[in-house]
Amino acid sequence: MLAPAKNLESGCLAINYGADAVYIGADRFGARAAASNSVADIEKLVQYAHKYRAKTFVTLNTILFDDELEDAERLIHQLYNAGVDALIIQDMGILKMNIPPIPLHASTQTNNFDLERIQFLDQLGLERIVLARELSFKEIRNISQHIKTDLEYFVHGALCVSLSGQCYFSQTITGRSANRGACAQMCRHPYHLLDARGNRIVTDGHLLSLKDLNLGDHLKTLLDAGVMSLKIEGRLKDANYVKNVVSYYRQKLDQVLVANTKYIKASSGHTSISFDPDPERSFNRGSTTYFLMDRTKGMVNSHSPKSMGKHIGFVTSVGQGILKAKLNEKLNNGDGLCFIYDNKLHGIRAEKVEDGQIRVSDSSMLKKGLALYRNYDHEFTKRLEADKSLRKIKAKINVSQKDDKLLFTIKDEDNLSSAYSVLKPDERATNAALALNNFKKQLSKSGESMFQITSVDIASMDSYFFRMGKLNEIRRSLFEQHEAYRITTYKRKTIIRKTDPVPFPAEKLDFSENIANKKAEQFYKDHGVKKQEKALEISNAQEDQLLMTTRYCIKYEMGYCQRFQDARETPPEPLYLQDENRKYKLGFDCRNCMMTIRLA
């Protein structure tokens, strides 16, 4: 289970709450410019993760310009020296750099959608390929049967409506490149939908704003399809989101592991939490399984790109500043509520909940029958903030005596052991049974350490008197020493890069290959590409510039699909999206079930 880390704090939280690996951005070249971190902080996260045999990946998944190549290469060496387990990359120019033997993961930004491209990456010797979010179970299974590389797939969080790496909406309209970590999220904006005659079909609808992915009930399906890494999106999310969502998927994945012995957990330890994780109580726009189980309607939340939270009931009556509702969950003072009125999402605050009535900040738009959602759960948020769970490694302590020393040996669940010795005390215990009991009791305490001591065995030892402070010092030193031992014995994977001239599956490449530097140009030339176009970021947009290619289809969402919905009465095409500035033309490749958006 791979979790996002906005910073060092959230990365450690993700590990604490059950992640087998975390991914984090460095201070440059990551696809979330607002989530950058120093190499020093990343090194601290690496060491924290390695204690639990968990991994740390760094995102270098933007396209690079020529004047950035030296800095990027230097940064890669720094990250390798910091102990990072792998880099997640988009720019193939990195493969032409003089870099250390660090494993490379092909980001979903490399448009890992069709089998031929994925097979090319497989032959390059990359350690992992992050699949496109649009792929179905059948497609994933087919891919896994034709390659050897490990596969990763998103299971939770925000969705890009465009094929990843193939969105030029933000770059063309605002000059902010999604492939450079500065996406303006044009897909979250409201648009009118027009037919060929200019008739307005939809007014101010968020027609491209996908709901959030939630595949919590389909983890075994993904594992059976060949996925070995389940990825949670959210490098900009807060600590409570990390605690809640990571805990939810840890529990879901553990259920699969317990029931299927062929799967093995990828890291060590366990976490006991004081809350029931529920991703609907964290930021979400409603949930979708996207294309995993095939195409369905209701993939977008056309009302708002904001968090709707969890559906909790319906309004039954409305008074002046007061409402009554049929609720399926307890409501608390201070909760945030939202509802859809006039096709828009609106929010209110539950000021006071008493005697079946809810006093609210504004009741003017409420009416009987409206569905209520809770997008801020005051009590749940307090429970999350109060939970300070630590991930624990089970271990046993053995105590033995040799000559003038006492040897304290700790052996953990990974069969790693280390020893700490002290000179035996001069003073004998007057009450041997009580001394032994106190001795075991003090050594069994784990406190804020990473260990959970399951037993203390005494092989052979005379009865000595220990002051509590001395026993605490011994236990602390033993734990610190073994924690350091776990870090130093962690074996990081290194790779030998292949140099075979694997042919790229095409000889001509257009701007959508995102080639923005000389090393990327050389990479594709070395792999048989005869003609290359430059990335849009270093060239000029065309009059009918392609802005986006997506598997999501507005015609299907609206019920206008003639192929699968047998629609008869459909609006005249072409269809257009329109905002306050201009129109955008929709194109439909019905044979391949793809939609494009272009400048009109």
Side-chain angles (χ1 to χ4, degrees):
M1 184 179 66
L2 176 60
K6 181 179 181 179
N7 50 33
L8 172 61
E9 178 191 8
S10 65
C12 292
L13 280 175
I15 298 297
N16 274 345
Y17 286 81
D20 298 305
V22 292
Y23 62 105
I24 187 170
D27 60 358
R28 287 156 290 167
F29 314 128
R32 293 290 185 274
S36 61
N37 297 274
S38 68
V39 174
D41 275 356
I42 291 173
E43 184 170 12
K44 292 175 184 176
L45 177 58
V46 165
Q47 295 204 358
Y48 193 83
H50 287 177
K51 291 192 302 184
Y52 296 96
R53 296 305 185 255
K55 297 180 178 180
T56 301
F57 308 142
V58 172
T59 56
L60 263 70
N61 56 341
T62 61
I63 58 174
L64 304 171
F65 295 157
D66 280 328
D67 61 357
E68 297 171 328
L69 294 175
E70 288 187 13
D71 279 350
E73 186 173 311
R74 190 179 304 112
L75 177 61
I76 290 171
H77 281 273
Q78 291 171 348
L79 293 170
Y80 179 75
N81 292 335
V84 168
D85 292 283
L87 302 178
I88 304 172
I89 67 167
Q90 175 184 185
D91 198 312
M92 291 296 111
I94 289 175
L95 290 169
K96 303 303 293 182
M97 293 179 179
N98 178 24
I99 60 174
I102 188 169
L104 300 177
H105 297 179
S107 168
T108 188
Q109 295 297 119
T110 56
N111 190 23
N112 303 321
F113 182 74
D114 64 86
L115 180 58
E116 275 193 324
R117 173 180 289 271
I118 293 168
Q119 286 177 317
F120 170 72
L121 295 172
D122 175 49
Q123 293 173 63
L124 285 179
L126 298 178
E127 188 199 33
R128 184 175 301 178
I129 297 170
V130 187
L131 294 172
R133 297 168 173 91
E134 294 82 4
L135 293 172
S136 68
F137 162 72
K138 292 179 182 177
E139 290 168 322
I140 297 170
R141 182 169 58 183
N142 181 56
I143 290 167
S144 71
Q145 291 171 348
H146 287 87
I147 68 169
K148 297 179 181 179
T149 306
D150 289 342
L151 296 178
E152 183 169 290
Y153 192 72
F154 281 89
V155 294
H156 194 88
L159 287 164
C160 294
V161 68
S162 174
L163 296 179
S164 297
Q166 304 294 294
C167 185
Y168 308 97
F169 214 147
S170 178
Q171 169 67 30
T172 304
I173 303 303
T174 72
R176 294 170 52 183
S177 169
N179 285 311
R180 297 273 297 165
C183 181
Q185 295 195 315
M186 301 299 291
C187 59
R188 301 298 181 188
H189 292 194
Y191 298 96
H192 307 315
L193 179 64
L194 310 178
D195 67 14
R197 300 189 184 101
N199 298 315
R200 189 179 290 183
I201 303 169
V202 175
T203 299
D204 279 341
H206 294 271
L207 299 170
L208 301 175
S209 185
L210 293 174
K211 294 177 180 177
D212 290 348
L213 188 65
N214 185 333
L215 301 182
D217 293 331
H218 302 282
L219 301 190
K220 184 176 184 299
T221 297
L222 289 170
L223 298 187
D224 291 345
V227 173
M228 59 75 62
S229 178
L230 308 170
K231 188 171 189 174
I232 298 169
E233 186 278 338
R235 280 199 293 128
L236 298 179
K237 297 296 194 298
D238 63 17
N240 285 343
Y241 178 94
V242 172
K243 287 182 180 181
N244 184 27
V245 175
V246 171
S247 295
Y248 173 79
Y249 279 90
R250 180 74 267 163
Q251 290 185 0
K252 287 286 187 178
L253 184 54
D254 284 347
Q255 291 169 10
V256 175
L257 298 180
V258 168
N260 299 269
T261 55
K262 66 178 180 178
Y263 299 125
I264 300 172
K265 187 179 177 183
S267 61
S268 308
H270 66 284
T271 304
S272 298
I273 57 177
S274 63
F275 60 93
D276 293 323
D278 181 355
E280 287 189 288
R281 296 179 190 269
S282 289
F283 185 100
N284 76 90
R285 302 176 177 92
S287 61
T288 176
T289 57
Y290 209 24
F291 287 95
L292 184 67
M293 299 303 177
D294 220 340
R295 186 183 293 275
T296 60
K297 289 183 66 175
M299 289 183 177
V300 297
N301 182 341
S302 62
H303 307 294
S304 175
K306 298 178 181 179
S307 177
M308 287 186 66
K310 187 172 186 176
H311 177 250
I312 60 167
F314 296 90
V315 175
T316 56
S317 66
V318 180
Q320 186 65 36
I322 292 177
L323 68 91
K324 290 185 177 181
K326 183 178 180 181
L327 302 175
N328 49 42
E329 289 193 0
K330 181 184 177 184
L331 196 65
N332 301 293
N333 296 343
D335 282 355
L337 300 175
C338 59
F339 56 92
I340 297 165
Y341 176 80
D342 195 22
N343 212 33
K344 301 292 180 186
L345 187 69
H346 300 272
I348 53 175
R349 185 174 186 269
E351 305 288 355
K352 190 172 184 179
V353 182
E354 188 176 36
D355 298 330
Q357 292 186 332
I358 307 166
R359 186 171 296 279
V360 295
S361 53
D362 181 7
S363 62
S364 60
M365 289 181 286
L366 292 167
K367 63 179 181 179
K368 183 178 179 180
L370 277 180
L372 285 177
Y373 300 83
R374 175 163 51 190
N375 60 359
Y376 175 71
D377 189 327
H378 183 66
E379 291 301 318
F380 186 68
T381 299
K382 284 197 334 187
R383 286 201 297 275
L384 285 176
E385 291 174 346
D387 191 280
K388 307 296 181 184
S389 296
L390 293 172
R391 187 167 174 174
K392 295 285 189 176
I393 301 289
K394 291 182 179 179
K396 299 178 180 180
I397 294 176
N398 179 273
V399 186
S400 60
Q401 179 176 322
K402 187 176 182 180
D403 299 327
D404 62 342
K405 292 184 178 180
L406 298 180
L407 188 65
F408 296 80
T409 302
I410 183 170
K411 185 175 184 180
D412 62 38
E413 62 186 62
D414 294 314
N415 289 320
L416 293 172
S417 62
S418 61
Y420 179 76
S421 63
V422 299
L423 291 173
K424 63 182 182 182
D426 295 328
E427 188 176 353
R428 295 296 183 97
T430 55
N431 187 326
L434 180 61
L436 182 62
N437 183 62
N438 288 337
F439 187 81
K440 287 185 174 183
K441 183 177 179 180
Q442 289 303 113
L443 290 180
S444 296
K445 292 179 179 180
S446 59
E448 298 297 307
S449 79
M450 66 178 290
F451 300 107
Q452 177 188 346
I453 304 304
T454 58
S455 67
V456 177
D457 298 319
I458 300 176
S460 59
M461 187 183 79
D462 295 333
S463 179
Y464 296 107
F465 173 76
F466 282 92
R467 298 187 182 280
M468 290 297 183
K470 181 61 177 178
L471 281 178
N472 291 340
E473 179 188 327
I474 291 171
R475 183 188 67 241
R476 183 170 56 252
S477 297
L478 180 64
F479 287 176
E480 288 175 354
Q481 178 178 290
H482 193 60
E483 184 175 311
Y485 181 68
R486 285 186 63 87
I487 296 172
T488 57
T489 55
Y490 177 88
K491 293 181 180 180
R492 180 173 54 163
K493 183 176 181 179
T494 57
I495 62 168
I496 300 174
R497 303 200 193 287
K498 295 182 180 180
T499 57
D500 300 337
V502 181
F504 192 76
E507 291 188 352
K508 296 181 180 180
L509 301 179
D510 65 15
F511 75 95
S512 66
E513 204 59 46
N514 302 322
I515 301 168
N517 63 73
K518 59 188 178 185
K519 287 189 180 293
E521 290 176 8
Q522 188 61 48
F523 170 86
Y524 287 106
K525 184 178 180 180
D526 291 347
H527 291 279
V529 173
K530 300 284 195 290
K531 186 176 180 181
Q532 308 177 26
E533 288 184 4
K534 295 184 182 298
L536 188 62
E537 285 79 0
I538 57 172
S539 59
N540 297 314
Q542 305 299 312
E543 288 186 7
D544 63 342
Q545 178 64 52
L546 176 65
L547 303 177
M548 181 184 294
T549 302
T550 172
R551 201 171 198 177
Y552 158 75
C553 178
I554 285 179
K555 283 176 66 175
Y556 190 93
E557 185 76 12
M558 300 290 296
Y560 297 151
C561 177
Q562 295 167 315
R563 180 180 178 187
F564 292 114
Q565 295 171 321
D566 198 28
R568 292 290 183 262
E569 297 183 7
T570 61
E573 296 184 28
L575 303 180
Y576 296 89
L577 296 178
Q578 183 183 49
D579 60 19
E580 59 186 14
N581 297 313
R582 62 189 308 159
K583 288 166 63 176
Y584 311 97
K585 185 179 179 179
L586 302 180
F588 301 96
D589 178 357
C590 294
R591 181 178 179 182
N592 295 306
C593 278
M594 301 292 280
M595 183 180 78
T596 59
I597 304 176
R598 293 180 178 272
L599 288 178

